[in-house]
Amino acid sequence: QYHPIQSFQWADYSVKPGREYTYTVAALYGTPDQLEPRLQAECTITTEVETGPTHSAFFNRGSVATQEYARRFLNKLPDEAGPGAYDWLSRGLLEALVAFLGRAGEGWSVRGAVYEFQLPEALAAVGQADERHADVCILYDDIETYDKNGKPNGPWYANRKAIAKAKIKPLCVGRTNGKLMHNKFFVLSQGGVPKAVWTGSTNLTVNGVYGHSNLGHIVEDEAVARAYLDYWDLLSGDPEVNNDYRAQIIAATPAPPVPWDRESTAVFSPRYHKDLDSLEWYVRLADGAKDALFMTFAFGMHKTFKAVYGKDDSVLRMALMEKEGNPKTLAQDKKDIQAIRNLPNVVLAIGNRIVTNSFDRWLAELSKIVPAVHIYWIHTKYLLVDPLGASPVVVTGSANFSEASTDTNDENMVVIKGNKRIADIYFGEFMRLYTHYAFREAVKWHMEKSKKNTPETWRPQYLIDSNAWTRPYFDTADTSGRYIRRTYFAGPMAV
């Protein structure tokens, strides 16, 4: 009643995992200064927990938390605010990785494959596993490249320095023959039997854990763990990226498997350029959405997914994007994305580099991964099909939905079908991020329209003193996405 919302969609992102909450929703009537609750509905829910018997998922707060961070930590930089600031930004992501590696002791083995391996706490956790007499070996990106000025390019140089500083060099082996060793996974085995895998999008750097949005995903499945261990064995030979290498990967992890009869399926890269079979599988999964599709894109939207998102039908399609496209094709990419955004069933949010506080400036300083490549917001790589349906599909891992991640890079993904719990967790996180990035876009558009360069000039919209605000939600021709979102979230009876 004191903070009414003129919308048919509302969410509470302050809830704690594994708790029961009761919400009362009231329709308010009257004038803005004299609101009267009439129709009411009550709903009791229990929130999911991050850990589960087969799948566990951990999302950081990172860039999505800029405003709350500024309030909570008095707008200080994390280094000034202290360890509590980093813990809050991590949101259990780093802690989950440390706990995962902490399971390894005598009789266990740890096998890792990582792109950026520089965060002291993560390297210390690897060293501590060795101290507990686990058998530890970590493959890291050691592919020497240089920019036009002769300076080290890519993570290899920083990886070497961090490994030496952590005194774990005997536990680490550089991969030098690949094109981009983009994996971020660890396999735990006990008594020679693979038990569990840590995967996801998180690079082990300050920015990876505390900055842009990332996730860690644990799979407690011997078959999946075995597939990852076999892949690690192949990587440990430091193979060149050729067709023999690709053929071994495709034979081990066909995409899709036939029959596709397991809940969790591992997919590795690189694969044949002429087929792009795994990417095409993801496209078919996305295109097969009956009610809704949700995806994250860190480096623009591949043309095959533009075709999926370009369909004007009854399927709600939402996406979070770091940027509209790549520099070489940006002009055309912007046109394509705008055409997609104009469809009534498509809702996109694109990260925007507006600086509102010290934390935003800190993110900008940390954003550089390699020269000419910047990530401020979206670094996750997941696809979510029909999360509220009977058999949802989640695709998650290290690979961007792109050609390079399919035919060139060392990558890993997990395809999960029918697990409603894990789909629910990913869905909640997607909507949390969407809310934040949509707000940033609104501020950006305001700045462009008003021709003012500071976001502080933005002011919230006030209540509309009539029922006019409801009309787009019931208008089948509405192009803002309000109609399609209302009908999806309210269920089949909402039309």
Side-chain angles (χ1 to χ4, degrees), residues 315-352:
V315 176
L316 170 63
R317 297 184 180 90
M318 298 183 69
L320 300 174
M321 301 181 66
E322 169 70 14
K323 56 188 73 174
E324 291 163 300
N326 297 308
K328 293 181 179 180
T329 58
L330 187 58
Q332 185 60 49
D333 288 337
K334 284 186 173 182
K335 292 179 182 179
D336 295 343
I337 294 301
Q338 188 56 54
I340 290 170
R341 299 188 85 155
N342 291 339
L343 296 175
N345 60 316
V346 177
V347 181
L348 306 181
I350 301 173
N352 283 279

Side-chain angles (χ1 to χ4, degrees), residues 59-60 91 382 425-434:
F59 292 82
N60 67 350
R91 196 188 178 199
Y382 62 85
I425 293 173
Y426 273 78
F427 187 33
E429 181 64 16
F430 181 97
M431 295 308 301
R432 182 179 79 95
L433 268 64
Y434 167 77

Side-chain angles (χ1 to χ4, degrees), residues 124-135:
V126 168
Q128 289 159 9
D130 176 67
E131 292 171 3
R132 293 189 299 270
H133 306 293
D135 176 15

